[in-house]
Amino acid sequence: MAVICTNAFKRHFRLVFNKRPKIYKPEKAYGTLLTKRHILSSITKYSTKNFCNSASHKYFAITKQEKAMGALSPLDPSSFSRPEIAIIRHVSLVLDVDFENKVLAGIADLNFDILHATDEIILDVNNLTIQSVELKDGTQLKYNIDEHIPNFGSKLSVTLPNSLPAGQKLILRIKYRTSPSASALQWLEPNQTSGKKHPYMFSQCQPIHARSILPCQDTPAVKFTYDAEVTAPEEFTVLMSAIRGENRSKRTMFQQSVPIPSYLLAIAVGVLEHRRLGPRSLVWSEKEEIERSAWEFAETEKYLEAAENLCGPYQWGQYDLLVLPPSFPYGGMENPCLTFVTPTLLAGDRSQADVIVHEIMHSWTGNLVTNRNFEHFWLNEGFTVFLERKVGASLIADPAEAKRSRDFHSLLGLQELSETVNEELGPTNNLTRLVVDLNGIHPDDAFSSIPYEKGSLFLYYLEDLFGGPEVFDEFLRSYLGEFQKRSLDTDQFKDYLLNYFSGNNNLSYVDWDTWFYSSGMPPIIPNYDTSMTKAVTALVTKITEQSDFSYDDVKLFTPHQMINLLQELIDRDALPIQKLRNLGNVYKVNASKNSEIIYRWLRLCIRSRDITRLDDVLNFVNQQGRMKYVRPIYRDLYAWEDVRQQAIDNFLKNEPYMMHVSAYTLRKDLHLSE
């Protein structure tokens, strides 16, 4: 293991090297959700009987503030539900889409396996209007909804007619309506769409917003299959994270036969068109974007085949893409059978294909093998980034070039990780740990590049340590096979790896405690190949020391090298305004159509306090809601005191049109809420 040797990266990191660190001795692994040991230990501490008594009530139902500060349940700090007692195996949904009132009218049949004798079912809800709860035979059941905790919702307790023994099956039918302000749903007016004629609705359930769409066990520890029947106006297309079936008049049927966590439940309803990308892929969008989308994502089947070569067969049947309106807050969302993507990917040069590869890799890591709760989010995202870069490199025929490309993208990720740790969160912030403590913390508040990039870097380090890609790829396939269709935590991952590599002498070098539980940058940076960054490093030096620029400086740069260049400049002292303007003109940066380049260029303009670019900056954040872009830009604007109030006013004006998670996090970035 060695530190990155280029000066451009040395300045960011002070690395810790220890040839033989003290080995962290793990506690007994926190077992899989449904292991007998786990069930019994959880029930002993939080039995159903005691749950309704004063001691348990004190744990869950003291003051609102105190409730928000502690774990909501023994398995998941962000969920009230008790799946270790009774677990949902299948959901049947009937939904009616009401654009006029911006609600879903729903009937949810929840199919449970009873794992321990109980006379009560606990579910998560968030601003749902519950109309009735009944058994399959129509018996009406009593239920109670506890006090609402902001952002977490409420605990729905359903009382059963009698205690059910372990091994019993149970179906609850719940009739309900969502709220017009449901945190998982974005209802767009016609003027917010490309066509300007029809409304549009789409969902975003990750991390814990599914409870605003249906009563559920809103924790990734629970996986269920589902079927759905959705009614919408006849001219609209309905899509879900499932195989689309019969479509008659206003009704569309769906079937998802692979178990999913609640955060992967997804729905979109709009006036859409589609184009075929390959034998198992369509791309959907409004007609105004459909041709550009079909061209941009034409190589999807190639990416799927490359992913299968590494990870094994794709198990979800269909892999469709839906290009959403600009307010979608993420680059992509890996909903099974139907990846949601932002229109900011439509760069016209296929340079952002890595986002599609990333979402494809989630078909294995995240969707098939899932983090048990969001304290272990790195098991989803760190693995996915790691696999994304391996698959991307596998598409390059020359092995040396493939290695350079993979390492170059890892270096870009390292830049992003450094900014998150050293500027955004701070190196002592607990949220810079790989495994975080979410007691009293909403998972949206913990969202950052940490689980993505620190997690990927950790896996790269392990790959190097245990014998390189050929050895580690076999481990990956074994890991995916062992935990497919299951949820796990970090200790379970660690135990499996220790057992798999039990004869490898390098196990003793891994300082597990530091990697998992220490704040700040990783203790070791892999020895990345930096050859693709050398030209960028040299040009950064020239820009810093000189004022004369030529397009020849960058004419051979790939889009990602331009991104690397701009990010390097962001990490340095602000350039004088005139020098920055010259750079933008000569290097043609200010005319780019690539959103990754535009985003960094505008941040440079903010940091140089170029007031003439302020309208461009505000237009950029108003025209799309991708949090990767809008949050750093708003933080930069907030730091510019002369325009701070203008930035706040702009946000408040546009807040009603934002997805919940964007508005929620930006309010905190702009210090408008705690």
Side-chain angles (χ1 to χ4, degrees), residues 266-284:
I267 184 170
V269 185
V271 176
L272 305 173
E273 293 190 5
H274 70 269
R275 297 289 184 272
R276 180 159 294 280
L277 300 175
R280 48 187 163 175
S281 297
L282 303 173
V283 62
W284 300 82

Side-chain angles (χ1 to χ4, degrees), residues 292 295-296 345-351 593-594:
R292 287 195 301 149
W295 185 89
E296 200 78 35
L345 300 187
L346 303 178
D349 57 9
R350 295 178 181 159
S351 62
K593 303 298 182 183
N594 187 311

Side-chain angles (χ1 to χ4, degrees), residues 220-477:
V222 175
K223 290 187 169 185
F224 55 86
T225 55
Y226 82 88
D227 62 80
E229 176 186 307
V230 184
T231 302
E234 193 163 1
E235 66 269 32
F236 286 76
T237 297
V238 181
L239 301 174
M240 293 191 77
S241 53
I243 301 297
R244 193 166 183 256
E246 185 180 34
N247 176 27
R248 283 191 179 181
S249 184
K250 299 180 179 181
R251 295 187 178 185
T252 309
M253 311 300 290
F254 297 91
Q255 184 74 42
Q256 180 52 266
S257 59
V258 182
I260 65 166
S262 56
Y263 74 80
L264 291 179
L265 184 72
I267 184 170
V269 185
V271 176
L272 305 173
E273 293 190 5
H274 70 269
R275 297 289 184 272
R276 180 159 294 280
L277 300 175
R280 48 187 163 175
S281 297
L282 303 173
V283 62
W284 300 82
S285 76
E286 293 184 78
K287 68 178 181 180
E288 288 77 11
E289 281 79 43
I290 194 63
E291 299 303 336
R292 287 195 301 149
S293 300
W295 185 89
E296 200 78 35
F297 306 129
E299 297 183 315
T300 297
E301 179 63 23
K302 180 175 73 172
Y303 305 150
L304 278 167
E305 291 174 353
E308 289 180 309
N309 288 336
L310 178 62
C311 299
Y314 178 77
Q315 297 192 31
W316 303 89
Q318 190 76 5
Y319 183 83
D320 286 359
L321 296 165
L322 172 62
V323 180
L324 286 167
S327 57
F328 182 57
Y330 299 105
M333 180 61 209
E334 63 273 15
N335 303 308
C337 307
L338 183 72
T339 286
F340 286 3
V341 294
T342 169
T344 64
L345 300 187
L346 303 178
D349 57 9
R350 295 178 181 159
S351 62
Q352 297 198 49
D354 54 332
V355 175
I356 303 304
V357 178
H358 179 93
E359 305 309 331
I360 286 173
M361 301 321 300
H362 268 306
S363 303
W364 288 268
T365 49
N367 297 9
L368 206 58
V369 178
T370 309
N371 51 224
R372 183 174 57 78
N373 63 46
F374 288 102
E375 294 182 322
H376 306 276
F377 192 40
W378 81 274
L379 291 171
N380 278 20
E381 296 297 352
F383 265 93
T384 300
V385 171
F386 179 71
L387 292 174
E388 162 205 330
R389 289 172 183 156
K390 288 175 71 71
V391 167
S394 76
L395 298 170
I396 300 173
D398 183 293
E401 184 184 350
K403 174 70 163 62
R404 287 193 296 271
S405 176
R406 180 188 176 194
D407 284 6
F408 176 68
H409 284 84
S410 297
L411 290 170
L412 294 181
L414 190 58
Q415 281 184 311
E416 187 174 351
L417 177 63
S418 176
E419 181 176 2
T420 301
V421 170
N422 295 314
E423 294 187 32
E424 179 185 338
L425 296 176
T428 62
N429 192 315
N430 287 332
L431 295 181
T432 63
R433 302 188 314 181
L434 207 52
V435 181
V436 297
D437 181 355
L438 291 183
N439 283 351
I441 298 175
H442 195 285
D444 279 337
D445 292 330
F447 183 83
S448 74
S449 70
I450 301 298
Y452 295 75
E453 297 298 344
K454 196 171 186 177
S456 175
L457 191 151
F458 176 53
L459 293 169
Y460 194 115
Y461 159 72
L462 293 178
E463 180 183 79
D464 275 355
L465 191 66
F466 295 140
E470 289 187 4
V471 174
F472 206 67
D473 287 357
E474 289 300 319
F475 162 73
L476 289 171
R477 283 186 280 270

Side-chain angles (χ1 to χ4, degrees), residues 108-112 121 123 133-136 141 158-160 170-174:
D109 285 356
L110 308 180
N111 293 249
F112 290 86
I121 300 294
L123 299 170
V133 182
E134 59 188 52
L135 295 177
K136 187 176 181 180
L141 300 180
V158 178
T159 303
L160 303 177
L170 170 69
I171 299 178
L172 291 184
R173 170 165 290 185
I174 303 179

Side-chain angles (χ1 to χ4, degrees), residues 457-627:
L457 191 151
F458 176 53
L459 293 169
Y460 194 115
Y461 159 72
L462 293 178
E463 180 183 79
D464 275 355
L465 191 66
F466 295 140
E470 289 187 4
V471 174
F472 206 67
D473 287 357
E474 289 300 319
F475 162 73
L476 289 171
R477 283 186 280 270
S478 176
Y479 166 80
L480 293 172
E482 175 68 19
F483 291 102
Q484 64 174 317
K485 301 182 182 179
R486 296 167 60 189
S487 301
L488 77 160
D489 62 20
T490 298
D491 279 343
Q492 289 171 275
F493 157 76
K494 177 187 171 185
D495 287 349
Y496 189 78
L497 182 142
L498 289 173
N499 181 65
Y500 186 93
F501 288 110
S502 59
N504 193 306
N505 293 330
N506 286 340
L507 276 177
S508 61
Y509 288 90
V510 183
D511 185 351
W512 300 100
D513 204 16
T514 298
W515 277 103
F516 290 152
Y517 304 111
S518 290
S519 302
M521 292 298 292
I524 293 172
I525 306 297
N527 188 23
Y528 293 126
D529 182 321
T530 60
S531 57
M532 288 187 68
T533 67
K534 289 179 180 177
V536 173
T537 302
L539 183 54
V540 168
T541 301
K542 175 181 176 179
I543 291 170
T544 303
E545 297 175 354
Q546 302 178 26
S547 298
D548 294 331
F549 307 127
S550 167
Y551 185 68
D552 289 342
D553 297 338
V554 297
K555 70 178 182 180
L556 298 180
F557 276 16
T558 67
H560 284 97
Q561 283 178 303
M562 285 301 301
I563 291 167
N564 183 205
L565 171 66
L566 297 175
Q567 188 63 47
E568 274 292 306
L569 294 174
I570 288 172
D571 291 342
R572 293 172 178 259
D573 292 338
L575 293 173
I577 290 180
Q578 194 55 51
K579 177 183 279 193
L580 182 66
R581 290 173 179 170
N582 290 341
L583 181 152
N585 290 328
V586 174
Y587 292 168
K588 303 180 182 179
V589 176
N590 55 10
S592 174
K593 303 298 182 183
N594 187 311
S595 58
E596 292 284 336
I597 291 173
I598 298 169
Y599 154 67
R600 288 171 174 83
W601 167 245
L602 293 176
R603 290 193 69 193
L604 284 171
C605 293
I606 296 170
R607 293 193 172 207
S608 294
R609 303 299 188 248
D610 187 350
I611 196 70
T612 66
R613 287 289 182 176
L614 184 58
D615 286 345
D616 293 336
V617 171
L618 296 179
N619 286 335
F620 182 74
V621 296
N622 293 343
Q623 289 169 3
Q624 52 78 37
R626 190 175 178 183
M627 291 196 299

Side-chain angles (χ1 to χ4, degrees), residues 7-210:
N7 290 332
F9 288 93
K10 273 185 180 178
R11 59 191 170 81
H12 288 306
F13 315 116
R14 185 169 67 185
L15 306 178
V16 179
F17 290 92
N18 188 340
K19 290 186 177 180
R20 285 201 172 273
K22 182 179 178 181
I23 298 301
Y24 171 57
K25 296 182 179 180
E27 298 177 1
K28 192 173 183 182
Y30 197 48
T32 308
L33 173 65
L34 299 185
T35 63
K36 184 177 180 181
R37 172 180 59 79
H38 198 167
I39 294 168
L40 292 177
S41 64
S42 176
I43 290 168
T44 300
K45 189 173 182 181
Y46 302 95
S47 72
T48 305
K49 181 178 180 181
N50 288 337
F51 188 80
C52 299
N53 293 338
S54 59
S56 185
H57 182 72
K58 181 179 180 182
Y59 180 81
F60 281 95
I62 40 182
T63 68
K64 182 184 296 185
Q65 181 180 10
E66 287 170 320
K67 280 195 289 188
M69 289 172 60
L72 300 182
S73 72
L75 289 182
D76 188 332
S78 307
S79 171
F80 299 99
S81 67
R82 304 298 306 281
E84 75 279 17
I85 297 172
I87 186 169
I88 295 174
R89 297 299 195 188
H90 182 80
V91 175
S92 290
L93 277 174
V94 177
L95 298 174
D96 183 74
V97 181
D98 182 347
F99 276 107
E100 182 178 355
N101 294 300
K102 298 181 179 179
V103 299
L104 298 177
I107 301 173
D109 285 356
L110 308 180
N111 293 249
F112 290 86
D113 280 352
I114 305 300
L115 304 179
H116 185 76
T118 185
D119 59 2
E120 186 177 46
I121 300 294
I122 307 298
L123 299 170
D124 295 298
V125 294
N126 191 359
N127 290 323
L128 296 179
T129 299
I130 304 298
Q131 297 166 322
S132 67
V133 182
E134 59 188 52
L135 295 177
K136 187 176 181 180
D137 63 7
T139 301
Q140 296 293 307
L141 300 180
K142 295 180 180 179
Y143 61 89
N144 180 68
I145 300 176
D146 274 10
E147 183 182 4
H148 179 83
I149 298 177
N151 304 310
F152 289 93
S154 306
K155 175 163 63 77
L156 170 62
S157 305
V158 178
T159 303
L160 303 177
N162 46 61
S163 181
L164 296 181
Q168 187 83 12
K169 304 288 185 180
L170 170 69
I171 299 178
L172 291 184
R173 170 165 290 185
I174 303 179
K175 297 179 182 179
Y176 66 95
R177 291 175 69 85
T178 63
S179 166
S181 60
S183 62
L185 299 178
Q186 179 83 343
W187 298 89
L188 301 180
E189 298 294 339
N191 63 5
Q192 294 175 269
T193 69
S194 296
K196 310 298 182 185
K197 295 180 180 179
H198 303 281
Y200 196 121
M201 182 271 286
F202 64 89
S203 66
Q204 174 57 37
C205 287
Q206 192 181 44
I208 60 168
H209 300 290

